[in-house]
Amino acid sequence: MFKIGCHISSSGGFLAMGRTAESIGANVYQFFTRNPRGGAAKEWLAADVAAYTAFAAERGIGSPLGHAPYTLNPAAEKENLRVFARETMADDLAKLEQIPGAMYNFHPGSHVGQGAQRGIELVAQCLSFAVAPGGTVPVLLETMAGKGSELGGRFEELRDIIAAADESLRPRLGVCLDTCHVYDGGYDVVTDLDGVLAEFDKIVGLDRLRAIHLNDSKNPYASHRDRHETIGNGSLGEAAIKSVINHPALRDLPFYLETPNELPGYAAEIALLKSLRD
Ligand code: FE
Ligand code: FE
Ligand code: ZN
């Protein structure tokens, strides 16, 4: 089954997200667990979660991916920012346990001049605090474009964060590969997708790869910029996107669009991608 969807506003709650997903031809979706630029958490209403759960099961909607707020920086230098990051992550993960099939995605953060090694240690410490024993929700580190002191622009950094986290929680850690970010980050998924995936497998392991953010890029290869473009209209192009969604190592993963679109644009992209599926 082709698992394809997009980022959807969470402002109306879970049942509304399920209905929106269905209305645009999506069977998976991503949402912000809270205000992406603030961090204040809205309550998740039990009745809404129950109604959504029944709806999703009946309509075949799954793999909801909760995206952490952008303001969360587990590798921050300031202690109060690190406390915010780990408490937010712990709270998000506890709440996501109620949502069937949910996964959690976060940006590893920026080391803000402390050096990648220190940043990696801090992200691992955050995970060791936030990923509670007994939980089941997978926690995905997103591949980043490597802007400034951003961590996660190299597969080695993702590997090192996972390796530095408590051994007991490592089975829950995975990776979400963002096609715009890796291309901007210097992994040529346009002319050498097989080579990039072989490198990912060697360094991180393909068994860790749990989700794909499917985006074209406004900027050229290795630009380290991170500006998403609509599918087929950027530097990756439609042929590369087609290869990604059909690659044997990727095709069974859930794909989430984060392209600059409103719902009609997402519906059109989802229809296009379905037509590109082998
Ligand atoms: Fe992201
Ligand atoms: Fe992304
Ligand atoms: Zn991005």
Side-chain angles (χ1 to χ4, degrees), residues 15-142:
L15 180 59
M17 287 195 281
R19 289 192 193 282
T20 299
E22 184 181 51
S23 76
I24 57 173
N27 53 11
V28 304
Y29 64 98
Q30 175 176 268
F31 63 100
F32 284 121
T33 53
R34 58 186 71 215
N35 182 331
R37 307 207 176 269
K42 255 189 17 187
E43 224 184 311
W44 294 2
L45 302 172
D48 176 49
V49 170
Y52 160 77
T53 300
F55 179 87
E58 188 187 303
R59 308 299 174 95
I61 290 168
S63 302
L65 181 59
H67 195 304
Y70 293 140
T71 45
L72 185 147
N73 183 9
E77 184 168 21
K78 294 196 177 117
E79 167 90 30
N80 63 320
L81 298 180
R82 295 203 302 270
V83 169
F84 170 78
R86 68 187 188 222
E87 290 182 350
T88 296
M89 192 180 281
D91 184 54
D92 283 353
L93 285 170
K95 287 159 78 183
L96 282 170
E97 289 291 336
Q98 313 163 62
I99 313 296
M103 300 192 289
Y104 189 56
N105 176 78
F106 75 105
H107 296 179
S110 295
H111 66 69
V112 290
Q114 302 173 91
Q117 192 46 50
R118 172 71 177 152
I120 287 162
E121 283 165 22
L122 291 172
V123 180
Q125 282 173 21
C126 174
L127 289 168
S128 297
F129 174 92
V131 184
T136 60
V137 173
V139 179
L140 311 186
L141 295 90
E142 182 168 351

Side-chain angles (χ1 to χ4, degrees), residues 183 188-195 240:
Y183 191 64
D188 190 356
V189 292
V190 173
T191 66
D192 189 21
L193 178 60
D194 281 332

Side-chain angles (χ1 to χ4, degrees), residues 224-272:
H224 302 287
R225 298 281 276 282
D226 188 4
R227 293 281 310 285
H228 302 186
E229 181 54 283
T230 47
I231 297 300
N233 300 312
S235 55
L236 275 79
E238 189 178 295
I241 297 287
K242 180 176 176 14
S243 302
V244 167
I245 62 172
N246 289 301
H247 195 284
L250 309 179
R251 61 180 286 123
D252 293 330
L253 297 172
F255 295 92
Y256 305 87
L257 293 159
E258 304 176 302
T259 46
N261 270 313
E262 302 296 332
L263 288 174
Y266 278 133
E269 281 190 345
I270 289 167
L272 168 69

